[in-house]
Amino acid sequence: MDIKTLSPILAAFRAEGTPVAAEEMKSGNINATWRVDYECRGARSRYILQRVNTYVFREPGRMMENIRAVTEHLCRAVEARGEDPARRVLRMIPTQTGEMLYTDEKGSAWRMYVFIDDAFAYDAVDAAAFLQVGRGFGRFQRLLADFPAEQLYASIPDFHNTPQRIAQLEAAIREDRVHRAAGVREEIDFLLSRREVLCSVTGLIDAGALPLRVTHNDTKSNNVMLDRATGEALCVIDLDTVMPGSVLYDYGDAIRFGGNTAAEDEPDTAKISLDMEKTEAFTRGFIEETNGFLLENELRRLPLGIQVMTGELALRFLTDYLNGDVYFKTLYPEHNLVRTRAQMALLKDVERRESDLAQMIEALLRS
Ligand code: GN1
Ligand code: MG
């Protein structure tokens, strides 16, 4: 969609000035996103416009309430530290009628954020930047440690409920809607053979051995904006899945994405492994920020989070492949299968690294 097609939607929001350019940003797998440039009294200002995927987020209004509550809390916490929240907390632009969402005549839900200037985010991250990303997500946890997690609405119920994700895969195999199951026996067998470990985090939560906190639940490195001038983490974005969860989810998902030597959908699995230098860097930053309040139980189990989040996403990609690619955006027919295989390759390497990861955590806790 170009600026002309978007203009009736843009007009629904209280951004000042005239929209002059729009560019689609293709990195997300769920929502559709544009960066929109406005001109106002000779100056340029930028915004993010998003069409929320309501197949994935069934009640976008309630999701936006979560985001409002969390960002208000973050603003207060940042101010209490004597810092300016302007570039450190995600900021929404309300609609002309003061709502957080605009629903167009087709029923699509739209929202607008302030674009953070002079900042950038990485898809592929080096160790130095990944340290900053670790600090960013660690700080996010810390600033929300006193937020009442039970007040949050589950924008995607059972999002990281891995036993349920396994059940969804099993249902997809049984239904075999697009006749793909016979071609992926090996992938199915591999993932189901990891059932026990993949269900261990929910088991520990149910047993009371891991607490529920406010977690981000989608901690890809490109969800932390870094300051272009200093390289430091400024702001955590994409708050759609902020929900109660375990810190193992946030840590594990971050390493799963940013600690991979290749892209999440790399077709050549020989290129995929866990980069220990990057993993150490992220972990150092994350622990620096969270060491004071995370429990021993959580800190020592962080590596388990990598296995569970990597395996869980493999389950989700494979399930979507079997269901005919209805959830994740795909760029080609086998995309979800390629993604599944890439996550499986990473999981195998994470398994091989188990004792190295445990030693790394011990060393960081002692330092
Ligand atoms: C989706 O669209 P994006 O990049 O924010 C997905 C995550 C996956 C990720 C894999 C709501 O996130 O859970 O880990 O793709 N988000 C949702 O790239 O399902
Ligand atoms: Mg996301």
Side-chain angles (χ1 to χ4, degrees):
M1 272 195 243
D2 57 12
I3 190 80
K4 204 159 159 250
T5 329
L6 290 172
S7 73
I9 295 145
L10 294 168
F13 289 92
R14 270 188 213 160
E16 265 193 273
T18 315
V20 290
E23 191 187 331
E24 183 161 7
M25 307 184 73
K26 301 226 162 146
S27 72
N29 291 325
I30 307 289
N31 298 318
T33 307
W34 290 264
R35 198 196 72 203
V36 187
D37 295 9
Y38 275 63
E39 234 164 54
C40 185
R41 293 184 285 271
R44 281 238 167 172
S45 42
R46 290 167 167 176
Y47 298 90
I48 290 291
L49 179 75
Q50 276 191 316
R51 187 178 60 223
V52 178
N53 180 329
T54 47
Y55 174 80
V56 170
F57 299 106
R58 298 294 166 122
E59 295 181 286
R62 295 186 69 190
M63 171 175 82
M64 295 309 288
E65 279 303 331
N66 275 356
I67 297 175
R68 191 220 292 265
V70 164
T71 52
E72 281 177 359
H73 185 98
L74 288 171
C75 276
R76 283 193 297 272
V78 165
E79 273 162 0
R81 288 155 56 101
E83 289 171 349
D84 178 5
R87 297 172 72 229
R88 290 188 170 81
V89 182
L90 191 65
R91 232 172 352 136
M92 287 183 273
I93 299 292
T95 67
Q96 303 294 357
T97 53
E99 313 289 324
M100 288 170 289
L101 279 177
Y102 166 70
T103 308
D104 67 16
E105 68 273 18
K106 288 196 217 124
S108 297
W110 297 83
R111 65 181 169 199
M112 197 185 243
Y113 291 118
V114 174
F115 181 87
I116 301 167
D117 276 316
D118 305 316
F120 61 100
Y122 281 108
D123 289 327
V125 71
D126 64 18
F130 208 25
L131 168 78
Q132 299 297 338
V133 173
R135 287 189 181 137
F137 281 126
R139 194 172 314 142
F140 183 81
Q141 283 275 319
R142 181 155 57 74
L143 298 178
L144 288 166
D146 59 343
F147 184 97
E150 67 285 354
Q151 279 181 16
L152 291 172
Y153 149 79
S155 57
I156 303 182
D158 294 311
F159 192 53
H160 289 316
N161 182 341
T162 319
Q164 187 120 316
R165 296 294 189 185
I166 293 179
Q168 286 164 353
L169 173 63
E170 288 171 328
I173 299 165
R174 272 195 310 278
E175 290 166 21
D176 199 12
R177 283 182 220 163
V178 289
H179 313 293
R180 283 173 164 177
V184 294
R185 271 307 351 155
E186 214 178 295
E187 288 76 11
I188 292 172
D189 291 345
F190 172 84
L191 290 173
L192 294 182
S193 76
R194 293 337 193 241
R195 185 190 296 263
E196 198 181 319
V197 64
L198 294 185
C199 294
S200 61
V201 173
T202 47
L204 289 163
I205 293 172
D206 293 344
L210 286 176
L212 287 181
R213 305 179 173 280
V214 177
T215 43
H216 180 279
N217 297 307
D218 187 12
T219 46
K220 304 201 314 196
S221 52
N222 53 20
N223 279 335
V224 178
M225 302 303 298
L226 306 178
D227 192 322
R228 201 176 286 285
T230 64
E232 283 169 26
L234 276 176
C235 180
V236 170
I237 58 170
D238 185 2
L239 305 181
D240 293 349
T241 49
V242 172
M243 285 182 278
S246 164
V247 66
L248 271 61
Y249 300 155
D250 279 4
Y251 174 80
D253 196 41
I255 303 291
R256 172 198 75 70
F257 187 81
N260 188 343
T261 49
E264 183 181 81
D265 58 355
E266 170 59 54
D268 180 1
T269 53
K271 293 188 180 152
I272 297 173
S273 62
L274 184 71
D275 184 318
M276 287 302 285
E277 188 199 344
K278 288 187 197 174
T279 299
E280 204 261 359
F282 178 94
T283 311
R284 183 183 292 277
F286 193 76
I287 287 183
E288 262 171 31
E289 293 285 345
T290 56
N291 202 3
F293 65 91
L294 288 184
L295 310 176
E296 197 67 25
N297 248 347
E298 297 173 290
L299 290 164
R300 295 233 142 64
R301 287 196 174 107
L302 289 174
L304 177 63
I306 315 174
Q307 284 193 36
V308 172
M309 296 309 291
T310 306
E312 183 193 279
L313 192 59
L315 289 168
R316 295 174 60 199
F317 284 146
L318 187 57
T319 303
D320 198 34
Y321 180 70
L322 292 174
N323 286 339
D325 310 317
V326 291
Y327 185 96
F328 295 103
K329 285 188 217 160
T330 49
L331 299 177
Y332 53 92
E334 304 293 292
H335 201 171
N336 272 319
L337 180 57
V338 166
R339 288 167 167 155
T340 306
R341 291 180 176 151
Q343 295 303 298
M344 283 169 43
L346 182 63
L347 175 55
K348 287 179 199 164
D349 202 43
V350 176
E351 289 172 349
R352 279 192 287 273
R353 293 291 196 169
E354 202 171 317
S355 66
D356 298 340
L357 288 164
Q359 277 172 30
M360 175 198 78
I361 297 279
E362 285 307 319
L364 287 171
L365 290 178
R366 268 187 272 113
S367 69

